[in-house]
Amino acid sequence: MGSQDMKEYSKLFRYHTELRIQENREFNVDIVDSAVINNQQKTQGGVGARVYKNGVWGFASNPNTDENFVKTVIENATGNAEKFASLAERKAFNFVNSEIKLSKDHRTDKIKLSKKEKIDFMMKLDEFVKANLKNVKSCRFFLRDQEIEKNLITSFGTEYFEVFTRAHIYCFLTVEKDEKKYELYESMGGYGNFEDNFTCPENLFPAIEELYEHLVKKSEGVYPEPGFKDVIIDSSLGGILAHEAVGHTTEADIVKGGSVARDLLNQKVSSELVTMVDFANTYDGKQLPVPIYVDDEGTVAEDAVLIENGILKGYMHNKESACEFDSRAQGNARAFLFSDEPLIRMRNTAILPGKSKLDDMVSSIKNGYYLMKTGNGQADSTSEFMFGIVQGYEIIDGKIGRALKDFTVSGVAFEMLKTVSMLSDEMEWENSGYCGKKQYMIVSSGSPAIKCKMNIGGR
C-alpha cells in the first residue's frame, strides 16, 4: 500500500473530518501433532471517514480505495453527520487539535522469509517436541505474523503514516496422567516482523522445555486451599489483571456508563506503592510492544497517568470525552480495521515496578501461593473480577512448593490493590493477545511481581 499523499481529499472536508486508508495483513500457520491444519494469508483493507457536526458523528467506509470510492466515502460520512445533526440536539464541542506530520514504518530491514520457510521453522519446533519430550500427548504450534498499515489525514492538518508489526508463536502442550489431560501454553515473540523475533528454531527450545517441566509438575500437583490468602502475582498475570480489572474502569466511555471509577477521582484506590500508567510508546527509554505515536483521531499520543501512589488521577479519553470531562485527549482513540470507528482503548497499560526482590517476596510468605498464568477470565465496570489460573505453585514457609492444578481467583480489583505490600523491581511486558471491547484491538500490558491478598477459589 505504502505512504500516500491524500491532501487532495482535504478539499472535500466541510467539517471536522478524519480520513483513514488502512490495510491489515496476517499470516497464520497452525500445526497440530505434526500436521499443518491451517496455512492462511488474510488481508482486510479499505477506507473509512468520520465527520463531526453539531455534536454528532457521521461515519462511512468501503473496501475499495480507488479515488472515486474514497470521495464517495467522504461524501457519505459528511451526509450522515448532517442527517444525524438535523435529528439530534447535542452539545457541540470545539476540539483541541494539533497539526502533526509523521511517519513510523516498523517493518524489518532483514530479508523476508517465504511462507514455506516459516512453516519449515515451525515444523522443526514440532520435531523437537517429538524427539525430546516423550510424555507429551499432544502438541500445537500456532504462528500469527501481523502488519497493520495506515494513512491518516485530518481536516486540521495532521498527516500520519504507520506500519505496525508483531509476530508470535504460541506453543500448547498436553500431557496425560491418571486418565486426565493437562495443558499449558507459552507465547514467544512480540513487536516486529517474524524475522526480527525468530532467527533459528533452536533459540526457542529452552522456553519449550521450561513449559514442559511446568506442565509435568502441574499434572502431579494439588489443588489450593480455598480462602483469602497471601499471594504473589507473577508479572505476566499482573499486567492482565491491571488491564482487565482496572484499566477498563478508567476508560472515559465506561466511566460515563457508570463504572466504579466515576466517583473515585482523586481518591485512594490502592496501596500507595501502586502507580499505574497507560504508556503511549516508550518506557524507561525503550520502545514499547505497542508503540502509539498518533491515534486514529489524529491526536499526538502521550502517557496517561491513571493511578499515582495509590490515588486515582485520571481517565483515558478521546477528543469528545476529554471535552466533557474538562480534561485532555492523550491518544487513546483507536480503530482496529478500516471499517471500525475509533474507540477509547488502552495501549501499553502497566503497574510500575517497586524496589523488592522476588526471592524476598517469596520468603516473606508463610502459607500462600505464587500465581503465574491465566487461561481465561472476566471483569466488569465495578472492578470485580474472576480469572482461571492455569499455572501456579504453593508457597510454604517462604519456599516454592508443589505445583497447582487449575483453579479460580476472584475479587474486587480496587480492594485487592489496597492489600499490595510489595512490588518487585523487575518489569515485564505482554502483547500476545487482543482486547475485545466492542472490536478487537492489539494492546500491551506490563507489571512487576505483586504481593497482595486474594480470594482463592480452590478446586
Side-chain angles (χ1 to χ4, degrees), residues 355-367:
K355 299 180 179 180
S356 299
K357 298 296 182 183
L358 181 56
D359 289 345
D360 294 334
M361 296 169 68
V362 172
S363 64
S364 71
I365 294 180
K366 182 172 180 60
N367 183 15

Side-chain angles (χ1 to χ4, degrees), residues 120-133 141 169 171 173 186 188 198 200-213:
D120 290 343
F121 185 106
M122 302 279 286
M123 291 300 297
K124 288 180 181 177
L125 300 179
D126 179 86
E127 291 166 3
F128 170 78
V129 171
K130 285 195 300 182
N132 296 278
L133 310 181
F141 287 98
I169 293 174
C171 173
L173 300 180
E186 185 63 79
M188 299 165 282
F198 308 114
C200 64
E202 290 78 11
N203 290 346
L204 305 186
F205 293 170
I208 297 171
E209 287 181 310
E210 182 179 350
L211 177 67
Y212 174 71
E213 291 170 3

Side-chain angles (χ1 to χ4, degrees), residues 4 23 28 36 40 70 72 78 80 144 156 215 265 323 331 348 359 381 402-403:
Q4 300 182 30
E23 186 172 271
N28 295 330
V36 178
Q40 184 181 48
V70 175
T72 299
T78 303
N80 290 337
R144 179 185 286 133
F156 48 90
L215 179 56
L265 199 61
C323 292
N348 305 273
D359 289 345
S381 61
R402 296 171 294 181

Side-chain angles (χ1 to χ4, degrees), residues 75-132:
E75 292 170 2
N76 289 343
T78 303
N80 290 337
E82 290 174 333
K83 180 65 174 178
F84 296 149
S86 69
L87 297 174
E89 293 185 6
R90 295 186 58 183
K91 181 179 179 180
F93 296 106
N94 293 317
F95 297 143
V96 175
N97 296 313
S98 55
E99 178 181 340
I100 184 171
K101 293 177 173 57
L102 188 64
S103 177
K104 291 286 183 180
D105 191 336
H106 301 281
R107 284 175 290 193
T108 185
D109 293 328
K110 298 178 180 178
I111 297 174
K112 299 291 277 300
L113 298 181
S114 67
K115 294 178 183 179
K116 182 181 183 303
E117 288 173 317
K118 293 177 183 178
I119 294 173
D120 290 343
F121 185 106
M122 302 279 286
M123 291 300 297
K124 288 180 181 177
L125 300 179
D126 179 86
E127 291 166 3
F128 170 78
V129 171
K130 285 195 300 182
N132 296 278

Side-chain angles (χ1 to χ4, degrees), residues 390-402:
V390 299
Q391 185 176 333
Y393 287 86
E394 296 178 316
I395 301 176
I396 305 295
D397 293 326
K399 298 184 183 299
I400 298 293
R402 296 171 294 181

